[in-house]
Amino acid sequence: MDGGHRALRNVFPYRLLTVAMPTDSGPASGPKFVFVTGGVMSGLGKGITAASTGRLLENAGFDVTAVKIDPYLNVDAGTMNPYQHGEVYVLKDGGEVDLDLGNYERFLDADMTFDQNITTGKLYKNVIEKERAGDYLGKTVQIIPHITDDIKRRIRDAAAGHDVCLIEVGGTVGDIEGGPYYEAIRQFAHEEREEDVLLTHVTLVPYSKNGEQKTKPTQHSVKELRSIGLQPDVLVGRCEDELDADTKEKIALFCDVPTDAVFSNPDVEDIYHVPLVVEEEGLDEYVMEELELADDARPKAERASQWRDIVTREQSGTVTVALVGKYALEDAYLSIHEALKHAGLEHSTDVEVLWVDAEEMANTHEQRLREADGIVVPGGFGTRGTTEKIAAARYARENDVPFLGLCLGFQMAVIEYARNVCGLDDAHSTEMETETPHPVIGLLPEQYDVEDLGGTMRLGAHETDIESGTLAAELYGEHCTERHRHRYEVNPEYIEELESAGLRFSGRANNRMEILELPDHPFFFGTQFHPEFRSRPQRASPPFVGFLDAAIDERERPVSEVEA
């Protein structure tokens, strides 16, 4: 393997004059670090490229973890609008993070923590608090070394105890917000052994109108990286198709990397096929050689193949699922889409998701409920779309259509039952209607005095006790531990009345209602928690598996049995 290009990190004269800054903790001797940056435009798939690399390294026998760097000033993603940033993903420790952490958990089949998400807000908050406490002993607190040192410390802490740590830098090279992170990476590369650090750069390779793959955007992106003292070791080209041999050679020539360090990551129908594509390109083998891990890897014939077996499993038939939400983009409900896909893999069935805009349901989207084999009402906040979500729950209940309500969807099902079965007219949640005469959904007691919105909900993993002889017990067993993100709950004052009318709360956490079901319905199931966050391709979420099983049965039901 020609390792000469690795020395390019040190060819810039001004870099030789760099003085190593003091760090809070010394360089780690064990883990290997793979930094993944992006150029030209955001949303190229840096996270999927990194996660796919991690999947292949795990197949080869290595313990892999990940860090996602988000350069925004928010401390976490909890207060962000899904339209801007996609879904807020919740970790087991209650961290509210970017959806890319969800991809890492799904690809690596691992549980991440809030420490594995670095944001500029988190960094500055920590450094300023330390300054106020006098921890810097009168020094002038600056971006370098104090912010960059904190970045490096967090990366090393997250990597401790693992063989490989993947670090994805959000945004694109050249963004003003990313400056401190690129400087930290530059320092990091000097402080660690050369064979312990690898820089992968993901860029766009577009087509011209005459069908030619254009390398100029990649060249400019790498030029931008080099201007701040970073030379990529690996280049991954995102293109509609595989990169031509001539394109790879041109990129290698103008970006100073070997031709065999240039890889294709073409468009695929399913993101779970990306590890298979980059494996065929040899990306994993190249990374292991560069990091001097090849001798410790499992022989190819002995590497884990479960991922390939699952994602290439032949599918028979299609189930349609209506997703009733108010954010008209897939990223806002990404984990639900993925959990449905995982359940489909387990049933060897394709899942087609029919988007139902809650606000348009009565006018143009109601037909989609009738077309669907099952209905999912997801979580959310605020009044908009709740009337239609309640209507969707009623339609599913009255027409024996499989129903899965998640968090807010669970609460909407309670409200619907209170109104239309218990006869509690105008029953509602105090989140949407503070003066409702029947507050069947109310604020959690511990939320009464909460003023700050960020990070103050009931968050993270909590255990639920499950009643025997119920659908919940059939799916989960005696207990389950799932992730939460809510401020409101079923009002304890209405539980007896609801259950007397036939609604069954089959899962509880002390006096808190966690799971509901209807015993005489093919599948009517709601959870206060978010089971989608723990679903994996190799380990589909139990409620989604049960829901899809019922939806497959619904698909076979004669149309004449379904009310119009």
Side-chain angles (χ1 to χ4, degrees):
M1 177 67 65
D2 180 10
H5 73 285
R6 304 299 302 283
L8 286 171
R9 285 203 189 93
N10 302 308
V11 301
F12 302 101
Y14 57 87
R15 291 191 63 194
L16 300 177
L17 301 176
T18 301
V19 177
M21 297 296 182
T23 60
D24 290 345
S25 59
S29 58
K32 306 286 186 175
F33 301 90
V34 180
F35 291 91
V36 181
T37 60
V40 184
M41 60 179 285
S42 60
L44 278 180
K46 297 188 301 296
I48 298 300
T49 301
S52 298
T53 303
R55 176 70 263 157
L56 296 175
L57 292 174
E58 284 202 341
N59 289 349
F62 298 105
D63 181 0
V64 182
T65 191
V67 171
K68 173 64 192 300
I69 290 173
D70 287 304
Y72 47 65
L73 279 169
N74 305 64
V75 173
D76 59 41
T79 58
M80 287 181 158
N81 189 314
Y83 274 121
Q84 291 190 9
H85 214 68
E87 76 174 2
V88 176
Y89 189 83
V90 180
L91 302 172
K92 65 178 182 180
D93 61 2
E96 297 173 282
V97 296
D98 179 85
L99 57 79
D100 278 319
L101 270 294
N103 284 325
Y104 287 119
E105 288 205 336
R106 287 186 282 270
F107 275 69
L108 302 179
D109 194 14
D111 289 337
M112 304 291 177
T113 69
F114 193 40
D115 290 337
Q116 290 168 277
N117 184 212
I118 301 175
T119 72
T120 301
K122 187 186 288 188
L123 291 168
Y124 276 78
K125 184 174 183 289
N126 178 56
V127 169
I128 291 170
E129 286 175 351
K130 290 173 70 174
E131 184 275 330
R132 291 290 81 191
D135 289 1
Y136 296 112
L137 303 177
K139 295 178 181 177
T140 301
V141 181
Q142 297 175 289
I143 305 298
I144 305 172
H146 300 102
I147 294 297
T148 51
D149 280 357
D150 201 38
I151 295 168
K152 294 182 292 183
R153 174 187 64 81
R154 290 173 186 270
I155 292 171
R156 290 186 173 114
D157 286 350
H162 300 277
D163 298 324
V164 180
C165 182
L166 306 162
I167 307 99
E168 177 195 351
V169 183
T172 58
V173 61
D175 293 346
I176 190 169
E177 297 92 342
Y181 297 101
Y182 291 104
E183 170 60 21
I185 295 171
R186 188 191 68 78
Q187 295 177 19
F188 201 101
H190 281 291
E191 296 166 1
E192 300 288 335
R193 296 183 306 169
E194 195 168 280
E195 63 270 23
D196 289 345
V197 180
L198 194 77
L199 177 57
T200 298
H201 192 55
V202 182
T203 71
L204 176 68
V205 181
Y207 279 107
S208 65
K209 288 185 178 180
N210 64 0
E212 179 185 2
Q213 292 177 340
K214 305 302 291 183
T215 67
K216 192 63 71 176
T218 297
Q219 294 178 44
H220 280 289
S221 183
V222 172
K223 181 180 179 181
E224 184 77 25
L225 262 183
R226 297 181 72 182
S227 72
I228 54 180
L230 291 171
Q231 167 65 34
D233 303 303
V234 174
L235 287 170
V236 177
R238 285 285 291 113
C239 191
E240 292 180 23
D241 306 296
E242 292 183 4
L243 299 182
D244 298 332
D246 290 346
T247 302
K248 286 186 175 183
E249 291 179 5
K250 189 173 182 180
I251 289 173
L253 176 64
F254 284 98
C255 298
D256 289 330
V257 298
T259 303
D260 60 359
V262 182
F263 297 90
S264 303
N265 187 355
D267 292 347
V268 293
E269 290 185 2
D270 191 326
I271 60 169
Y272 296 139
H273 290 173
V274 174
L276 314 184
V277 171
V278 296
E279 183 179 33
E280 290 175 4
E281 284 272 309
L283 177 61
D284 55 330
E285 296 296 333
Y286 190 86
V287 168
M288 287 188 285
E289 285 288 345
E290 291 296 290
L291 293 175
E292 297 186 357
L293 290 172
D295 291 342
D296 297 319
R298 292 173 182 159
K300 284 189 176 182
E302 299 176 13
R303 293 182 188 176
S305 61
Q306 184 187 21
W307 183 275
R308 178 180 290 274
D309 295 341
I310 291 172
V311 303
T312 59
R313 186 177 295 163
E314 186 175 351
Q315 308 294 292
S316 58
T318 300
V319 167
T320 57
V321 174
L323 179 62
V324 185
K326 64 178 181 179
Y327 302 114
L329 73 168
E330 182 174 329
D331 278 358
Y333 304 106
L334 181 61
S335 290
I336 294 173
H337 278 266
E338 297 308 305
L340 287 168
K341 190 188 302 182
H342 304 160
L345 290 171
E346 184 154 322
H347 284 90
S348 298
T349 300
D350 282 322
V351 180
E352 179 185 358
V353 178
L354 301 178
W355 167 247
V356 178
D357 187 331
E359 293 183 292
E360 296 295 325
M361 192 174 76
N363 299 323
T364 59
H365 286 191
E366 188 174 355
Q367 176 63 26
R368 296 189 181 183
L369 296 185
R370 293 193 287 271
E371 296 171 357
D373 302 314
I375 297 171
V376 175
V377 177
F381 297 91
T383 302
R384 188 164 60 87
T386 54
T387 299
E388 292 78 12
K389 291 182 179 183
I390 292 169
R394 181 176 187 175
Y395 177 87
R397 179 180 61 80
E398 293 182 342
N399 291 281
D400 287 342
V401 177
F403 171 86
L404 181 59
L406 307 170
C407 196
L408 181 66
F410 163 91
Q411 295 174 3
M412 296 300 99
V414 171
I415 293 169
E416 189 279 321
Y417 204 84
R419 289 180 181 180
N420 300 310
V421 178
C422 299
L424 301 176
D425 295 340
D426 299 321
H428 219 311
S429 167
T430 55
E431 178 184 6
M432 292 87 189
E433 183 55 65
T434 56
E435 301 301 322
T436 175
H438 297 294
V440 293
I441 303 295
L443 190 67
L444 292 163
E446 61 267 32
Q447 294 286 318
Y448 290 161
D449 298 323
V450 171
E451 295 182 0
D452 292 339
L453 295 181
T456 56
M457 286 185 273
R458 184 176 183 235
L459 293 165
H462 296 275
E463 186 174 288
T464 295
D465 296 320
I466 296 173
E467 183 181 346
S468 62
T470 62
L471 174 59
E474 183 181 330
L475 295 174
Y476 275 118
E478 296 181 354
H479 309 279
C480 71
T481 301
E482 296 281 13
R483 302 176 189 179
H484 296 67
R485 185 175 183 250
H486 63 109
R487 295 186 194 277
Y488 292 81
E489 65 170 345
V490 178
N491 187 338
E493 296 180 6
Y494 287 89
I495 291 171
E496 183 177 351
E497 185 171 359
L498 288 163
E499 290 202 311
S500 296
L503 190 64
R504 190 169 191 174
F505 291 106
S506 53
R508 305 183 183 213
N510 297 319
N511 65 338
R512 207 153 271 163
M513 302 303 103
E514 295 281 2
I515 301 174
L516 66 78
E517 59 186 73
L518 285 176
D520 297 327
H521 193 281
F523 189 94
F524 195 95
F525 199 80
T527 65
Q528 182 61 78
F529 47 78
H530 290 268
E532 67 270 23
F533 291 145
R534 295 194 66 217
S535 187
R536 309 282 187 266
Q538 312 96 309
R539 183 164 38 85
S541 168
F544 283 86
V545 172
F547 168 74
L548 207 66
D549 189 46
I552 291 171
D553 290 341
E554 173 68 12
R555 181 185 61 190
E556 306 301 326
R557 186 155 64 112
V559 176
S560 60
E561 295 182 14
V562 184
E563 293 182 17

